[in-house]
Amino acid sequence: MTTLAYLPWLRPPTFDELPSVRDRRCELTYAEFAVWVDAVAEQLAEYGVVPGSTVAIMLPNRVELLVAMVAAWRLGAAATPINPMFTATEADYQIADAHAVIVVNAGPDAPHGGRPSISVQDLRWAPLTNRTLPEPDTSANDIALLIYTSGSTGRPKGVVLSHGNIGAMASMMSTHLEITRDDHCLLVLPLFHVNAICVGFLTPVAVGGQLTVMERFRAGEFLDAVESLRPTYFSAVPTIYAHLVSQPADVVADTSSIRFAICGAAPASKELLAATERRFGFGLVEGYGLTEATCACTCNPVDGPRKLGTVGVPLPRQRVAVMNEDGTLLPPGERGEVVVQGPNVMQGYLNRAEATADALGDGWLHTGDVGVLNEDGYLTLVDRIKDMIIRGGENIYPKEIETVLHSHPHVREAAVVGAADAVLGEVPVAYVSTYPDSALDADDLRALCRTHLTKIKVPVAIEILDALPKNPIGKVDKRALRTLTPAGRSIPAPTSTTRQGA
């Protein structure tokens, strides 16, 4: 059953003095977190935040991000978390598209899209004695989150998630993973992702557990935190596990408190999963999901059979199937598009009726991924229908990069494909052609990308060709471009700094 028990005003009184959330700056009980939420809600209300408004939050991982998000919910508003590494171009687009009333950010120099902003250091700690907030009246139908994800058009779309959606996900995860008040999540994923919000924050606090927020992942700091704080679980992407198992042999940490860890967001090899379990001794469960499904659709069980190479079984109250191109559902063993039903499926894309109809029109969420279900209900992912590149767990859509490249006056054609990378999985590589008699330098294009794109989206290599290969109907043949990037082709690897920031 879906509940909204993650909301401070609906928590049991027995939670009040339990540890709730912490980061390197502060540590709060459930009661203290609730007081801070009320204080910030009161502050947001002074800027005109009312039921139905949207509050944009552009902060790195820290407790204040969670406080601001829940404060928006306290007023009946939605929150849209923004990647703190976004350029002004990227952030301003999301702020405008979400119709944000106000932006909570890192300071006056941070992007704000022309809206009023509150710097994180100016957030109010305690309610004013002469102000009274209205009684909270949160329903499952209220919009909780607008999480932005790119699509085939190259313009990010706002995924509309209700409290019913995120409440369902929290209860599904706590049931499937057997999360209780004795659990403690160590959060290393970025809080502008729905995975971190739902699995890291909502799932434990809905049952009286606790959360420690790390600002970023660094292997040494992470292992130190595991030893000192004794968390019971965490969720990460394959790149993080690759960094962990690559630590020198003399790096030893007591990880005995971890009863399981989750791997998701990108495909992981059986070898990586097995190496992680051998080195650190905890069980690793691989799962699968997408923002449009409020994070997770399937996951290997913690105590049941864990089948390496699969992404597990459907979570409780979800139906996961494989569909043929004609709309019929396929039997086990047959390959087709993965489709999903359940109370976790999004409300739609913000102000994009056509895209919503494409994704949900027949009553199923169409994931764009190709998979196979076996007789036991375990899902194996085979391929991706879309051209999306997954770099260290971060989704990169080629069209967004291509749009920036096309903005250069000398670029006639641009196409971006993924090239294999041993640590990050995939990295973007760009191919461009120029107009006749145009002089163009790859460094100029790289500088253009750095101005308008987050660092992870900047191509690791830009090749200038006389013309891009075409398929029989005249479209750029990306399959042919991918044949230009195997071993033997000179594609530089990302720098160590880029990898660390994955």
Side-chain angles (χ1 to χ4, degrees), residues 5 32 119 178 188 191 201 237 279 287 309 313 326 360 397 433 454:
E32 290 167 339
S119 177
E178 302 175 11
V188 295
L191 276 165
F201 175 52
V237 298
R279 173 150 187 180
V313 296
D326 62 6
L360 303 175
Y397 290 83
S433 65
T454 309

Side-chain angles (χ1 to χ4, degrees), residues 150-341:
S150 296
S152 59
T153 63
R155 298 297 280 173
K157 301 189 295 293
V159 176
V160 181
L161 301 176
S162 69
H163 280 285
N165 292 145
I166 65 174
M169 182 52 55
S171 64
M172 289 171 183
M173 295 303 295
S174 62
T175 299
H176 186 74
L177 301 174
E178 302 175 11
I179 303 295
T180 71
R181 65 188 292 173
D182 295 325
D183 277 302
H184 175 186
C185 177
L186 181 60
L187 179 67
V188 295
L189 296 178
L191 276 165
F192 58 86
H193 277 190
V194 74
N195 184 311
I197 294 172
C198 288
V199 180
F201 175 52
L202 300 181
T203 297
V205 302
V207 296
Q210 57 181 303
L211 167 67
T212 295
V213 178
M214 296 193 71
E215 186 167 339
R216 64 181 64 84
F217 172 79
R218 290 193 175 103
E221 293 175 4
F222 172 80
L223 293 173
D224 288 344
V226 170
E227 282 201 327
S228 62
L229 298 172
R230 313 302 292 159
T232 61
Y233 79 96
F234 68 95
S235 181
V237 298
T239 300
I240 286 178
Y241 294 108
H243 282 299
L244 287 173
V245 298
S246 299
Q247 293 302 297
D250 60 354
V251 175
V252 179
D254 179 0
T255 58
S256 60
S257 67
I258 302 290
R259 65 183 185 91
F260 70 91
I262 306 167
C263 182
S269 68
K270 294 180 182 179
E271 292 77 12
L272 175 61
L273 300 176
T276 302
E277 292 194 4
R278 283 196 306 269
R279 173 150 187 180
F280 297 102
F282 48 73
L284 193 56
V285 295
E286 190 174 9
Y288 161 74
L290 60 165
T291 303
E292 289 86 343
T294 319
C295 177
C297 302
T298 66
C299 188
N300 274 275
V302 173
D303 295 324
R306 287 183 289 119
K307 299 189 177 183
L308 294 184
T310 80
V311 290
V313 296
L315 295 180
R317 295 191 295 143
Q318 289 195 52
R319 187 183 180 196
V320 177
V322 173
M323 183 176 285
N324 203 356
E325 291 180 359
D326 62 6
T328 59
L329 299 184
L330 295 169
E334 295 291 325
R335 178 182 299 188
E337 183 182 14
V338 179
V339 292
V340 180
Q341 290 178 336

